[in-house]
Amino acid sequence: MSRLFGTDGVRGLANGLLTAELALSLAQAAAVVLGHDQMSEGKRPRAVLARDPRASGEFISAAVEAGLASAGVDVYNAGVLPTPAAAFLIADLGADFGVMISASHNPAPDNGIKFFARGGRKLPDDVEDAIEQQLAHDAFRPVGIDVGRITRFADAEDRYIVHLLSTLPNRLDGLKIVLDCAHGAASGCSPQVFTDAGAQVLVIGADPDGLNINDGVGSTHLEKLQATVRAEGADLGIAHDGDADRCLAVDHEGSVVDGDQIMAVLALALRDSGQLKDNVLVATVMSNLGLKIALRDAGITTRETAVGDRYVLEEMGRGGYSLGGEQSGHVIFSEYATTGDGVLTGLQLAAQVASTGKSLKELAATMSKLPQVMINVKGVDKSRAAIDSGVKTAVAKAEAELGETGRILLRPSGTEPLVRVMVEAADMATAERVCNELVEVVRGRLSLEQHAQ
């Protein structure tokens, strides 16, 4: 049986894989595992619950809420809020754990359940495994005064906004910023916090109806943001995804500034202010080789991890590092957050534009990106990607051709049934050719239809 938890919680088609019954059972199992310390002392654990605005989040959230309370957990329901807000509130409230209902950048029919431990920290694999194993046991069902109570967390958003504003090194007065909230969880708080910080704010993608989340807007669809920034003469644009744990940007000309470039700007700023611990940035294997080269020339070391912001967090924790993140826009400031926070990242990036007087285009130019091509190969057996001899031979041959001027990464997706093929090279033509050649090998060797015959 495959592992229920992926790289970022339990995610799948709502009412397909992710049913109300599974949500309730997962909540009951998590209550036993994550609330054990309090329960062993005869106390009721406390948990924060939040969700993004997709329609299925309503019934899944209700099921999780019921599962937790029926297992003796007091639930503080924060309603619709970003994932990093939920993580912050767990720590701010002193809760024992928390649950976020979201499928992040995925389309509206999908959803997910993500658990956080005390302090708002993501769960290590062994704790997720313990929750999954607990599903096989009878649920814990206290009675009488021992059942959990459910409370509306009325000031949750206000607490989060105050926290975000407290992190700013300077105000954003004079900046004109376009925000794309992906019709997602940041539709309320992100425009508010940027306005409170002093920026002139124009907002798109901030009318969630439960079905339009990530639909043609947000960090995975930047076209509307680019067009709006150019049309309005804005200084920059900030794009979130559905649960606002990531941030991508566009400069005043409408050019995309990705997570690697954002990290380069912020790493240099922290270095200059003496806040970049050991002059180290933690990034994943997906980051562009250009990031590593630019930071090396600036005296900053890049430490690489597997893909997933929790692996970045683990490495940051081991070394006490200040900054880390992913090319996709998950950026983590360990001083202020326990997970990627797209609103926080956007604020810090805008603060650099405001304080330096430089455009985002100028700041981002500190890093030159090597041409990179990534293709998602669907309909293949992703479990065989790392062991198939034909695929391994093709990768080795391509790596020999690229030498030190590029690199190759084949990675099974942790959240979708596909294999990602990524190639970097000295020029785009080479990157595209090598990537397409490898895609054909992967598709031919790992086709599900072929293995089904």
Side-chain angles (χ1 to χ4, degrees):
M1 179 180 175
S2 61
R3 190 171 186 266
L4 184 60
F5 283 86
T7 56
D8 207 15
V10 178
R11 191 178 296 183
L13 181 65
N15 258 356
L17 168 69
L18 193 54
T19 62
E21 293 83 358
L22 176 59
L24 188 142
S25 296
L26 271 172
Q28 290 176 324
V32 172
V33 174
L34 300 176
H36 176 267
D37 290 347
Q38 292 293 325
M39 290 178 177
S40 65
E41 297 178 6
K43 301 175 183 177
R44 289 203 301 264
R46 297 189 301 165
V48 171
L49 173 64
R51 65 179 179 89
D52 72 24
R54 66 190 74 215
S56 62
E58 296 169 2
F59 79 77
I60 293 172
S61 177
V64 169
E65 187 176 65
L68 293 176
S70 71
V73 177
D74 288 339
V75 182
Y76 291 77
N77 194 328
V80 174
L81 278 180
T83 291
F88 165 74
L89 291 165
I90 295 164
D92 196 50
L93 185 67
D96 298 288
F97 65 98
V99 191
M100 180 69 193
I101 312 301
S102 175
S104 188
H105 59 283
N106 284 22
D110 292 337
N111 217 322
I113 300 176
K114 187 184 311 184
F115 295 98
F116 291 92
R118 187 178 286 109
R121 302 193 176 277
K122 291 197 172 184
L123 304 185
D125 289 345
D126 62 329
V127 177
E128 290 183 339
D129 290 341
I131 293 173
E132 192 165 337
Q133 291 163 12
Q134 182 63 33
L135 288 172
H137 300 284
D138 290 338
F140 175 61
R141 294 189 179 92
V143 296
I145 63 172
D146 294 323
V147 300
R149 305 300 299 272
I150 297 170
T151 302
R152 180 173 174 269
F153 201 162
D155 64 340
E157 185 171 272
D158 290 339
R159 288 196 192 199
Y160 179 54
I161 289 174
V162 169
H163 161 66
L164 289 171
L165 291 171
S166 74
T167 72
L168 274 175
N170 51 269
R171 287 180 56 81
L172 308 182
D173 300 285
L175 289 186
K176 186 175 184 179
I177 300 174
V178 181
L179 295 178
D180 183 347
C181 298
H183 296 311
S187 295
C189 63
S190 187
Q192 183 65 57
V193 75
F194 275 89
T195 299
D196 289 350
Q200 179 185 350
V201 178
L202 302 171
V203 186
I204 62 175
D207 297 301
D209 62 10
L211 304 175
N212 59 0
I213 189 168
N214 301 316
D215 186 9
V217 289
S219 61
T220 53
H221 304 280
L222 294 171
E223 297 81 10
K224 289 183 180 179
L225 179 62
Q226 292 172 290
T228 305
V229 167
R230 287 192 294 260
E232 297 292 341
D235 295 293
L236 69 152
I238 298 293
H240 305 308
D241 60 338
D243 69 337
D245 65 351
R246 68 172 72 183
C247 164
L248 294 182
V250 301
D251 64 26
H252 69 286
E253 295 179 355
S255 298
V256 175
V257 178
D258 69 12
D260 285 342
Q261 294 167 295
I262 290 170
M263 287 191 290
V265 172
L266 297 175
L268 290 171
L270 290 177
R271 181 206 62 180
D272 292 345
S273 64
Q275 296 175 281
L276 188 65
K277 173 74 184 312
D278 294 341
N279 281 343
V280 167
L281 171 75
V282 180
T284 77
V285 294
M286 289 297 291
S287 279
N288 192 281
L289 188 57
L291 173 65
K292 190 173 184 177
I293 293 171
L295 294 186
R296 180 195 64 198
D297 293 345
I300 297 172
T301 300
T302 304
R303 294 190 181 275
E304 289 188 346
T305 75
V307 175
D309 63 346
R310 65 173 174 167
Y311 301 116
V312 174
L313 275 163
E314 288 172 4
E315 181 63 23
M316 291 176 71
R318 276 191 287 268
Y321 300 125
S322 314
L323 184 68
E326 299 185 279
Q327 185 186 62
S328 60
H330 289 110
V331 178
I332 305 160
F333 294 82
S334 61
E335 182 178 354
Y336 307 124
T338 59
T339 187
D341 189 328
V343 184
L344 172 64
T345 301
L347 282 172
Q348 299 297 325
L349 186 65
Q352 287 306 306
V353 175
S355 67
T356 62
K358 296 180 178 180
S359 69
L360 180 56
K361 182 180 181 67
E362 291 177 279
L363 292 174
T366 189
M367 171 192 158
S368 296
K369 293 198 299 181
L370 289 182
Q372 184 184 85
V373 177
M374 185 170 71
I375 298 177
N376 294 330
V377 188
K378 301 179 180 180
V380 295
D381 182 357
K382 66 179 183 179
S383 68
R384 293 182 50 81
I387 62 174
D388 183 86
S389 60
V391 172
K392 292 168 68 175
T393 298
V395 170
K397 180 180 177 182
E399 287 177 334
E401 177 187 346
L402 295 175
E404 295 182 357
T405 64
R407 66 188 182 111
I408 295 166
L409 182 66
L410 262 69
R411 186 178 73 87
S413 170
T415 58
E416 300 173 81
L418 52 85
V419 171
R420 306 188 197 282
V421 180
M422 188 274 284
V423 176
E424 288 175 351
D427 61 86
M428 181 58 76
T430 300
E432 289 178 341
R433 175 180 58 78
V434 173
C435 190
N436 283 315
E437 288 173 356
L438 288 174
V439 164
E440 290 306 310
V441 173
V442 169
R443 188 174 287 128
R445 299 282 303 186
L446 305 182
S447 168
L448 289 174
E449 292 183 4
Q450 174 182 310
H451 287 285
Q453 292 174 357

